[in-house]
Amino acid sequence: MALAAAVFDAVENVGMTVMIRGDVDAPVPIITTTFAVAKYSMFFVVLPYLVAGFVAGLRDRHGSTTG
Protein backbone atom coordinates (compact mmCIF):
# COMPACT_ATOMS: atom_id res chain seq x y z
CA MET A 1 0.00 0.00 0.00
CA ALA A 2 2.84 2.39 0.77
CA LEU A 3 4.32 1.80 -2.67
CA ALA A 4 0.99 2.55 -4.33
CA ALA A 5 0.59 5.75 -2.30
CA ALA A 6 4.13 6.78 -3.26
CA VAL A 7 3.40 6.24 -6.96
CA PHE A 8 0.15 8.21 -6.68
CA ASP A 9 2.03 11.01 -4.95
CA ALA A 10 4.77 11.07 -7.58
CA VAL A 11 2.26 11.32 -10.43
CA GLU A 12 0.37 14.02 -8.54
CA ASN A 13 3.60 15.97 -8.08
CA VAL A 14 4.36 15.78 -11.80
CA GLY A 15 0.87 17.04 -12.57
CA MET A 16 1.21 19.88 -10.09
CA THR A 17 4.56 20.86 -11.62
CA VAL A 18 3.06 20.87 -15.10
CA MET A 19 0.18 23.06 -13.91
CA ILE A 20 2.51 25.46 -12.07
CA ARG A 21 4.40 25.95 -15.31
CA GLY A 22 1.20 27.13 -16.96
CA ASP A 23 -0.35 24.09 -18.69
CA VAL A 24 -3.76 24.01 -17.07
CA ASP A 25 -5.63 22.59 -20.05
CA ALA A 26 -7.50 19.32 -19.84
CA PRO A 27 -6.66 16.53 -18.96
CA VAL A 28 -3.82 17.63 -16.64
CA PRO A 29 -6.00 18.91 -13.74
CA ILE A 30 -8.29 15.89 -13.94
CA ILE A 31 -5.40 13.42 -13.89
CA THR A 32 -3.70 15.29 -11.05
CA THR A 33 -6.88 15.38 -8.99
CA THR A 34 -7.54 11.70 -9.63
CA PHE A 35 -4.13 10.69 -8.34
CA ALA A 36 -4.44 13.02 -5.34
CA VAL A 37 -7.78 11.45 -4.42
CA ALA A 38 -6.30 7.98 -4.90
CA LYS A 39 -3.37 8.86 -2.63
CA TYR A 40 -5.58 10.17 0.16
CA SER A 41 -8.05 7.30 -0.22
CA MET A 42 -5.25 4.92 0.72
CA PHE A 43 -5.84 6.14 4.28
CA PHE A 44 -9.27 4.49 4.23
CA VAL A 45 -7.76 1.29 2.86
CA VAL A 46 -5.05 1.14 5.53
CA LEU A 47 -7.17 2.33 8.46
CA PRO A 48 -9.01 -1.02 9.02
CA TYR A 49 -5.63 -2.80 9.17
CA LEU A 50 -4.38 -0.32 11.75
CA VAL A 51 -7.51 -0.70 13.86
CA ALA A 52 -7.38 -4.50 13.62
CA GLY A 53 -3.72 -4.53 14.66
CA PHE A 54 -4.42 -2.21 17.58
CA VAL A 55 -7.34 -4.35 18.76
CA ALA A 56 -5.29 -7.55 18.39
CA GLY A 57 -2.50 -5.97 20.42
CA LEU A 58 -4.94 -5.02 23.16
CA ARG A 59 -6.43 -8.49 23.18
CA ASP A 60 -2.98 -10.09 23.43
CA ARG A 61 -1.99 -7.79 26.28
CA HIS A 62 -5.24 -8.35 28.11
CA GLY A 63 -5.16 -12.12 27.53
CA SER A 64 -1.58 -12.50 28.77
CA THR A 65 -2.25 -10.72 32.08
CA THR A 66 -5.25 -12.90 32.98
CA GLY A 67 -3.81 -16.22 31.88
Side-chain angles (χ1 to χ4, degrees), residues 8 11-12 15 26-37:
F8 295 153
V11 175
E12 176 194 5
V28 176
I30 295 169
I31 293 171
T32 303
T33 303
T34 301
F35 279 97
V37 168

Side-chain angles (χ1 to χ4, degrees), residues 19-31:
M19 288 192 299
I20 287 170
R21 291 184 176 174
D23 188 12
V24 292
D25 297 331
V28 176
I30 295 169
I31 293 171

Side-chain angles (χ1 to χ4, degrees), residues 28-56:
V28 176
I30 295 169
I31 293 171
T32 303
T33 303
T34 301
F35 279 97
V37 168
K39 177 182 69 173
Y40 287 110
S41 70
M42 296 304 281
F43 171 76
F44 297 108
V45 173
V46 172
L47 186 63
Y49 290 102
L50 291 174
V51 170
F54 181 72
V55 169

